[in-house]
Amino acid sequence: MTERGKDDVTQQTDALQIGPSAMRWAGGRLIIDIEERDIRLGIPWRRRVKGQVILHPEMLNDRAFKLDAGGHHHWHAIAPRARIEVKMERPDISWKGSGYLDGNYGDEPIEDGFKSWHWSRAHAGRDVAVIYEGTRRDGSHFASALRFDNAGTPREEELPLVAPLPRTWWGMERQTRADRGHASVMKTWEDSPFYARSALSMRMFGEPVVAVQESISLDRLIFPVVQFMLPYKMPRETG
């Protein structure tokens, strides 16, 4: 992923292009074409990254949720359950598996509205369970436990107990919700100064599940040292 200016972005009803990469809805599928260059510390050249990801929704949800009283920020679990195909040319790797598609949108930068949040998703039997909670910039807390049925219809459930998780190598605080307030980290896929993504083992709504969990600290994101470091992790095109 490369940060780019507004002149490199083209948006349509069912398509979005950012530089040479793009995504589009076609035939009920979301097709993502990737054309990027990576960045690696200590290596002066950037390798080409090229491929395609195809997401096949198994359920769709048309309901978005307000995350603040003023309606400045919304969250939408577009496809709570999906299948994906990943076909990369550079590097030459491919796989198929389960997927998920959501999005956040609003009328102000996300760090203006929030200090942090935690999110988890898991297959709970034939349903999909999603936990989403966080702390707004004014210090107030929001939390919801949603269960999507086969038709993609969400219903709110009683929040399970907080399940604390160990901090990451970068000291990121993370947590989820689970039956009896217990969950264990199977693997941490992404560990950065302000963001972490992990696989968890736990029980949710009476079902043993493997969940995907993420935590983000917007306070850390806007910290000057982190802002200075970001271009070394994510390429930035300013022209």
Side-chain angles (χ1 to χ4, degrees), residues 110-168:
I110 202 161
E111 62 268 22
D112 289 358
F114 303 95
K115 292 183 177 181
S116 62
W117 74 56
H118 308 282
W119 168 94
S120 303
R121 169 194 170 268
H123 292 177
R126 296 174 62 85
D127 296 344
V128 175
V130 180
I131 307 291
Y132 200 1
E133 65 181 308
T135 303
R136 303 184 184 96
R137 183 56 59 189
D138 63 8
S140 62
H141 183 258
F142 70 94
S144 63
L146 299 175
R147 196 165 181 170
F148 295 86
D149 63 18
N150 276 344
T153 303
R155 66 179 185 271
E156 295 202 33
E157 300 277 359
E158 183 179 349
L159 278 165
L161 296 174
V162 171
L165 299 169
R167 289 178 180 264
T168 68

Side-chain angles (χ1 to χ4, degrees), residues 7 9-10 19 21 38 53 55 64 68 83 93 119 138 148 152 166 173-174 188 194-195 201 211 224 230:
D7 292 339
V9 178
T10 303
S21 296
D38 73 356
V53 177
L55 181 136
D68 64 311
R83 292 179 295 107
I93 55 175
W119 168 94
D138 63 8
F148 295 86
E173 181 181 348
R174 48 185 172 172
T188 299
F194 65 91
Y195 175 83
S201 175
L230 279 176

Side-chain angles (χ1 to χ4, degrees), residues 11-231:
Q11 183 175 358
Q12 299 174 329
T13 301
D14 56 1
L16 174 67
Q17 179 143 358
I18 303 175
S21 296
M23 61 176 65
R24 66 191 186 279
W25 285 101
R29 307 171 302 165
L30 179 63
I31 302 172
I32 305 168
D33 294 310
I34 300 168
E35 182 66 67
E36 297 288 343
R37 296 275 180 177
D38 73 356
I39 189 168
R40 293 167 293 165
L41 290 176
I43 300 178
W45 64 89
R46 292 165 57 187
R47 298 173 300 182
R48 190 180 180 195
V49 179
K50 179 178 175 60
Q52 187 177 79
V53 177
I54 303 176
L55 181 136
H56 306 262
E58 296 180 333
M59 60 172 69
L60 288 169
N61 162 51
D62 60 4
R63 180 183 173 190
F65 295 86
K66 287 198 307 183
L67 298 180
D68 64 311
H72 299 295
H73 299 272
H74 292 76
W75 166 69
H76 185 187
I78 302 164
R81 187 199 294 262
R83 292 179 295 107
I84 59 166
E85 302 174 58
V86 180
K87 304 173 184 178
M88 300 299 297
E89 297 179 25
R90 296 173 179 264
D92 183 15
I93 55 175
S94 63
W95 70 90
K96 297 179 180 180
S98 61
Y100 166 88
L101 177 67
D102 73 356
N104 291 78
Y105 60 93
D107 56 18
E108 67 180 10
I110 202 161
E111 62 268 22
D112 289 358
F114 303 95
K115 292 183 177 181
S116 62
W117 74 56
H118 308 282
W119 168 94
S120 303
R121 169 194 170 268
H123 292 177
R126 296 174 62 85
D127 296 344
V128 175
V130 180
I131 307 291
Y132 200 1
E133 65 181 308
T135 303
R136 303 184 184 96
R137 183 56 59 189
D138 63 8
S140 62
H141 183 258
F142 70 94
S144 63
L146 299 175
R147 196 165 181 170
F148 295 86
D149 63 18
N150 276 344
T153 303
R155 66 179 185 271
E156 295 202 33
E157 300 277 359
E158 183 179 349
L159 278 165
L161 296 174
V162 171
L165 299 169
R167 289 178 180 264
T168 68
W169 185 88
W170 279 101
M172 268 290 299
E173 181 181 348
R174 48 185 172 172
Q175 72 174 44
T176 188
R177 300 268 182 162
D179 295 356
R180 300 190 297 274
H182 175 74
S184 58
V185 178
M186 300 171 63
K187 187 173 184 179
T188 299
W189 290 311
E190 181 74 18
D191 182 3
S192 79
F194 65 91
Y195 175 83
R197 178 176 285 254
S198 312
L200 309 179
S201 175
M202 60 189 190
R203 294 184 69 88
M204 187 178 290
F205 305 130
E207 299 277 350
V209 302
V210 174
V212 178
Q213 186 272 345
E214 70 175 13
S215 294
I216 185 167
S217 169
L218 285 313
D219 282 348
R220 285 187 170 205
L221 173 63
I222 62 177
F223 194 66
V225 172
V226 173
Q227 288 292 305
F228 174 79
M229 293 167 59
L230 279 176

